[in-house]
């Protein structure tokens, strides 16, 4: 992006300064002593004036900004743009159209790139964690869709089927055929709802689980974490039962499991439990689940299970099916020995006992443990019991490139209503001010209620700008810069789910989002998001560029939005006018169709809105390759 600025500020020219100096010397020529003194003084003065003029010109250009309001032409209100300038300045931003990326990048995930894995440690599979490329290696191009890509099938039909060409990978179909993860039929993949431990369908599996955990039926369990999620059938099945799941899986030889999940319209994100904390706050999820995810829970001092413990709410449930549960029946099919699987189960049970978990239920292939509600159990353990209680050197909610530690994170002092038994049940918890508000600067019940009301008004206005909002054409939504999750709460009755993102450099309010019964993640928008291309229908950014402009170049953030936005998807950018000017120029260089609007408060608002729709285009490279095949 190049920038040129012009500014008429009425500064004194250098020639006028010299002319003034000559007159002064003529007037005072009678006194040679005085003249000498003047000479000694005038030249530093001239240098100072010239320097100040240059500095004034530079600062004027750096701080001047242009506020323009483009009225919506589609409504026939006005086909001209009104430009308001301040300080006598005007700014012009230019961006050449971005080229298309090579077709090999159609599924690019920059921070989890298999081509870079060999550079990183294999210990605990750390190479599959986030490793973002340096700025010098960032691409500045538009990622093309696969050959034959179509607009995704609308929700809720998408939960059961998707276009084969949108995620054209047969590995899971071939390797998991007997487990009913998915089946290819004609131009589509079908999802029967099966999984490794529930080949007969997720419904039967969840029915059994609900019998073991009655809290799944009465609103006490609202948020869940599924580690090693496959194609997210477990999370998809829970949606009908009022439970919102964050499905988690790494980018690995299962090729595109998270991509399948998002194509289906089920919440999911790329991730792995390895050496870094998961990007979630402490005490976030009501339930965590592992169905043959093959994570070595009892190894490495139990550090992987301790990370699940950190993000699990007091009184929350950890559910395990698959090895080593019911090993007496299944050990032969696991290519193991009965003794090995018994030792694994004993090790897990011993670790959980030392972590003060109680065995809640174990029947058939499913085992359930419950996290303690109070800290008293930790305090009553024998001295030197492992794992130890964490000290206070690392904030429990810190979750962005923070190493996992082999210790127990206790419930924070002064917080009583974060446990499952004490937090309001769903859906009351959505509108109840969480107790954790008191740990956020300016956070209180009044601010929370005001934010909730404000976003209801804003979302109602957004519907007039994006008529498809509220229809089944928009399913996967992201709020890129949330505070309390108010935008997501206002969309509760729409057929959508919302990924609430809190900046890693902002106040960490993500715990409040989870206490409301919503889901989200911490993220730094100077880096790529942990998802595949073409996975979101709508991205909403409120004040993101204003907040992050000192750290992130807008061009790269906009290219990241384009990467994860589906063709024909929408971006709603709410920001000050100077940032919207730049965003509109960059958006048009990315082939977006954008229009400017006032906010719901009209021209008095210091912010405005830019609503853009990503165009649907096919790469000639892909078409040529399809012809060759």
């Amino acid at each position: 992006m190049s920038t040129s600025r012009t500014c008429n500020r009425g500064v004194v020219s250098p020639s006028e300064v010299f002319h003034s100096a000559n007159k002064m010397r003529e007037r005072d020529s009678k006194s040679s002593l005085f003249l000498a003194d003047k000479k000694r003084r005038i030249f530093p003065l001239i240098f100072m004036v010239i320097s100040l003029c240059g500095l004034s010109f530079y600062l004027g250009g750096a701080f001047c900004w242009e506020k323009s309001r483009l009225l919506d032409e589609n409504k026939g209100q006005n086909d001209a743009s009104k430009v308001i300038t301040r300080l006598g300045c005007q700014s012009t931003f230019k961006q050449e159209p971005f080229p298309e990326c090579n077709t090999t990048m159609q599924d690019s995930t920059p921070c989890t790139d298999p081509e870079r894995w060999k550079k990183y440690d294999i210990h605990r599979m750390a190479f599959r964690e986030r490793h973002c490329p340096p700025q010098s290696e960032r691409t500045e191009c538009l990622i093309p869709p696969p050959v034959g890509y179509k607009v995704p099938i609308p929700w809720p039909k998408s939960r059961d089927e998707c276009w084969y060409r949108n995620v054209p990978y047969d590995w899971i179909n071939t390797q998991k055929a007997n487990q009913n993860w998915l089946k290819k039929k004609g131009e589509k993949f079908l999802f029967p709802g099966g999984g490794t431990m529930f080949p007969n369908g997720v419904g039967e599996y969840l029915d059994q689980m609900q019998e073991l955990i009655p809290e799944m039926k009465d609103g006490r369990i609202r948020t869940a974490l599924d580690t090693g999620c496959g194609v997210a059938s477990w999370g998809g099945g829970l949606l009908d039962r009022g439970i919102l799941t964050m499905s988690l899986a790494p980018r690995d030889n299962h090729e595109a499991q998270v991509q399948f999940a998002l194509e289906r319209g089920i919440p999911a994100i790329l991730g792995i439990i390895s050496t870094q904390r998961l990007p979630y706050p402490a005490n976030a999820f009501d339930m965590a689940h592992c169905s043959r995810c093959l994570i070595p829970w009892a190894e490495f001092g139990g550090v992987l299970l301790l990370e699940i413990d950190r993000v699990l709410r007091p009184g929350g449930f950890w559910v395990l099916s698959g090895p080593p549960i019911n090993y007496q029946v299944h050990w032969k099919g696991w290519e193991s020995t009965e003794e090995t699987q018994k030792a694994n189960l004993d090790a897990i049970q011993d670790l959980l006992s030392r972590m003060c978990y109680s065995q809640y239920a174990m029947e058939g292939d499913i085992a359930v443990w419950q996290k303690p509600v109070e800290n008293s159990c930790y305090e009553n353990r024998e001295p030197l019991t492992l794992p130890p209680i964490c000290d206070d050197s690392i904030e429990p909610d810190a979750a962005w490139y923070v190493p996992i530690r082999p210790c127990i994170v206790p419930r924070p002092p002064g917080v009583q209503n974060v446990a499952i038994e004490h937090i309001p049940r769903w859906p009351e918890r959505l509108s109840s001010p969480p107790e954790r508000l008191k740990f956020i600067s300016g956070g209180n019940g009044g601010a929370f209620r005001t934010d909730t009301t404000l976003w209801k008004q804003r979302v109602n206005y957004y519907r007039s700008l994006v008529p498809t909002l509220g229809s089944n054409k928009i399913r996967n939504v992201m709020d890129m810069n949330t505070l309390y999750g108010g935008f997501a709460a206002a969309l509760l009755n729409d057929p959508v789910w919302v990924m609430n993102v809190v900046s890693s450099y902002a106040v960490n309010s993500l715990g409040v989002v989870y206490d409301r019964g919503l889901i989200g993640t911490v993220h730094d928008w100077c880096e790529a998001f942990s998802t595949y291309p073409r996975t979101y229908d709508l991205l909403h950014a409120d004040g993101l560029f204003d907040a992050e402009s000192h750290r992130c170049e807008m061009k790269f953030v906009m290219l990241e939005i384009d990467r994860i936005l589906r063709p024909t998807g929408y971006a709603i950018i709410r920001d000050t006018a100077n940032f919207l000017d730049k965003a509109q120029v960059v958006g048009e260089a990315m082939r977006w169709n954008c229009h400017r609007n006032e906010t719901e408060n009209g021209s008095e608002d210091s912010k405005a809105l830019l609503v853009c729709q990503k165009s649907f285009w096919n790469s000639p490279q892909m078409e040529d390759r399809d012809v060759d095949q």
Side-chain angles (χ1 to χ4, degrees):
M1 180 182 292
S2 61
T3 304
S4 61
R5 298 180 174 90
T6 60
C7 198
N8 298 321
R9 303 183 59 83
V11 297
V12 180
S13 68
S15 62
E16 291 173 324
V17 173
F18 279 105
H19 179 68
S20 175
N22 287 333
K23 291 181 67 177
M24 291 172 65
R25 285 197 296 272
E26 291 173 2
R27 186 176 65 238
D28 299 322
S29 62
K30 293 182 180 180
S31 173
S32 60
L33 182 61
F34 186 72
L35 178 60
D37 182 68
K38 275 289 185 180
K39 287 181 178 180
R40 286 193 299 272
R41 294 182 180 180
I42 195 66
F43 286 107
L45 178 61
I46 293 171
F47 179 79
M48 183 181 297
V49 171
I50 293 174
S51 299
L52 288 174
C53 286
L55 181 62
S56 174
F57 184 84
Y58 173 79
L59 291 178
F63 287 96
C64 71
W65 60 277
E66 161 188 358
K67 181 177 182 181
S68 61
R69 182 186 306 124
L70 181 61
L71 298 179
D72 188 355
E73 296 181 4
N74 294 329
K75 296 180 180 180
Q77 295 175 347
N78 197 336
D79 59 357
S81 62
K82 181 179 180 181
V83 178
I84 303 175
T85 60
R86 294 186 178 181
L87 303 178
C89 304
Q90 294 182 359
S91 300
T92 303
F93 303 96
K94 296 180 180 179
Q95 173 63 58
E96 294 297 321
F98 291 101
E100 297 173 12
C101 300
N102 189 283
T103 56
T104 58
M105 294 180 62
Q106 69 181 39
D107 291 321
S108 172
T109 54
C111 293
T112 51
D113 184 358
E115 296 297 323
R116 298 168 54 85
W117 284 352
K118 60 185 178 183
K119 300 180 181 180
Y120 303 105
D121 195 352
I122 63 173
H123 175 65
R124 283 164 40 187
M125 301 180 72
F127 62 93
R128 285 181 175 160
E129 292 184 305
R130 289 178 58 86
H131 301 287
C132 299
Q135 187 166 345
S136 59
E137 296 180 19
R138 288 182 174 180
T139 56
E140 298 184 31
C141 56
L142 307 180
I143 294 178
V147 174
Y149 180 88
K150 299 180 181 180
V151 173
I153 295 170
W155 180 264
K157 195 175 181 181
S158 63
R159 180 163 47 185
D160 301 322
E161 59 184 53
C162 77
W163 297 114
Y164 165 72
R165 287 292 187 178
N166 287 14
V167 194
Y169 303 113
D170 286 322
W171 189 93
I172 296 178
N173 181 43
T174 303
Q175 298 297 319
K176 303 289 184 178
N178 64 325
Q179 297 168 8
N180 284 326
W181 283 29
L182 54 80
K183 294 180 179 179
K184 186 174 183 296
K185 184 176 181 180
E187 295 185 350
K188 295 179 179 179
F189 274 128
L190 307 181
F191 300 92
T196 304
M197 295 307 300
F198 42 91
N200 295 327
V202 70
E204 177 184 297
Y205 181 73
L206 290 174
D207 288 342
Q208 181 186 359
M209 194 175 295
Q210 281 192 168
E211 290 303 312
L212 300 178
I213 312 173
E215 290 84 352
M216 293 175 64
K217 305 175 185 178
D218 61 9
R220 280 180 285 181
I221 292 179
R222 164 60 181 174
T223 57
L225 174 67
D226 189 15
T227 53
C229 66
V231 295
S233 291
W234 187 76
L238 283 172
L239 289 170
D240 288 337
R241 305 175 190 233
I243 297 175
L244 190 59
T245 304
M246 178 73 77
S247 295
L248 178 77
R251 177 159 185 165
D252 62 2
N253 59 345
H254 288 191
E255 208 156 19
Q257 50 189 326
V258 166
Q259 193 173 15
F260 275 118
L262 289 161
E263 187 70 17
R264 299 176 68 186
I266 301 172
I269 192 170
L270 286 168
I272 185 173
I273 310 175
S274 178
T275 66
Q276 306 289 329
R277 283 182 172 180
L278 296 173
Y280 316 120
N283 309 306
F285 296 96
D286 305 320
M287 178 168 60
H289 172 256
C290 163
S291 175
R292 203 179 183 186
C293 58
L294 303 181
I295 296 173
W297 295 113
E299 296 182 20
F300 315 116
V303 68
L304 306 179
L305 188 52
L306 285 164
E307 176 59 6
I308 293 295
D309 176 73
R310 182 185 71 85
V311 301
L312 194 61
R313 192 179 298 280
F317 299 92
W318 186 55
V319 182
L320 179 64
S321 67
I325 306 304
N326 204 9
Y327 67 88
Q328 300 92 334
V329 174
H330 298 295
W331 67 268
K332 291 182 180 179
W334 294 337
E335 299 180 356
S336 182
T337 66
E338 188 172 5
E339 292 74 19
T340 297
Q341 293 303 319
K342 181 181 184 304
N344 289 342
L345 180 58
D346 290 344
I348 289 174
Q349 289 180 314
D350 176 62
L351 173 61
L352 288 165
S353 176
R354 287 183 278 115
M355 292 168 59
C356 291
Y357 278 60
S358 59
Q359 185 169 304
Y360 194 78
M362 185 178 291
E363 183 176 307
D365 296 337
I366 300 175
V368 183
W369 288 269
Q370 186 174 24
K371 180 176 177 176
V373 174
E374 305 292 342
N375 291 337
S376 56
C377 175
Y378 308 137
E379 299 163 358
N380 294 331
R381 297 186 307 167
E382 292 293 325
L384 304 180
T385 298
L386 297 177
I389 303 300
C390 294
D391 57 33
D392 58 358
S393 61
I394 297 181
E395 164 62 37
D397 287 349
W400 190 246
Y401 294 124
V402 176
I404 299 176
R405 298 191 298 164
C407 56
I408 297 170
V409 175
R411 190 182 69 189
V415 176
Q416 300 297 323
N417 298 327
V418 73
I420 285 237
E421 293 299 323
H422 301 144
I423 197 167
R425 300 185 184 189
W426 180 261
E428 289 79 12
R429 62 194 285 188
L430 181 69
S431 55
S432 299
E435 188 179 15
R436 280 197 266 196
L437 282 166
K438 64 185 180 182
F439 296 110
I440 299 172
S441 177
N444 54 63
F448 176 86
R449 294 185 186 92
T450 298
D451 183 80
T452 300
T453 301
L454 181 67
W455 279 109
K456 287 181 179 179
Q457 296 170 351
R458 290 176 173 178
V459 167
N460 284 336
Y461 179 66
Y462 287 172
R463 297 185 196 281
S464 67
L465 305 178
V466 183
T468 53
L469 185 59
S471 73
N472 63 359
K473 293 183 179 180
I474 293 180
R475 171 62 183 170
N476 301 351
V477 177
M478 180 186 292
D479 191 2
M480 299 175 66
N481 189 36
T482 193
L483 179 60
Y484 301 143
F487 174 74
L491 291 171
L492 179 65
N493 295 323
D494 287 8
V496 304
W497 66 271
V498 181
M499 179 71 77
N500 293 280
V501 181
V502 171
S503 169
S504 58
Y505 283 81
V507 173
N508 192 349
S509 59
L510 196 55
V512 171
V513 172
Y514 274 92
D515 285 350
R516 301 187 73 175
L518 306 171
I519 60 172
T521 183
V522 176
H523 183 65
D524 178 0
W525 283 110
C526 295
E527 300 179 359
F529 193 77
S530 297
T531 192
Y532 284 88
R534 304 173 301 279
T535 47
Y536 283 86
D537 300 300
L538 187 149
L539 277 78
H540 173 254
D542 175 29
L544 177 67
F545 296 115
D546 189 22
E548 304 285 9
S549 62
H550 64 293
R551 299 192 310 106
C552 310
E553 187 175 348
M554 176 183 283
K555 171 176 60 178
F556 291 110
V557 181
M558 292 285 286
L559 284 168
E560 176 61 5
I561 295 175
D562 183 79
R563 182 183 75 88
I564 65 181
L565 194 61
R566 288 170 168 172
T568 72
Y570 291 89
I572 301 176
I573 302 173
R574 187 185 192 100
D575 224 310
T576 54
N578 55 323
F579 289 111
L580 293 192
D581 292 341
K582 301 174 187 177
Q584 184 164 1
V585 171
V586 177
E588 291 171 353
M590 298 191 303
R591 311 182 190 182
W592 290 6
N593 298 311
C594 300
H595 61 274
R596 293 278 289 274
N597 297 271
E598 294 178 343
T599 70
E600 65 285 347
N601 295 324
S603 59
E604 299 303 316
D605 199 332
S606 61
K607 292 184 178 181
L609 293 169
L610 183 69
V611 179
C612 299
Q613 186 174 24
K614 180 177 176 177
S615 61
F616 193 142
W617 54 271
N618 290 306
S619 172
Q621 303 175 62
M622 302 297 289
E623 293 173 354
D624 292 343
R625 191 180 74 176
D626 194 38
V627 170
D628 294 340
Q629 292 175 347

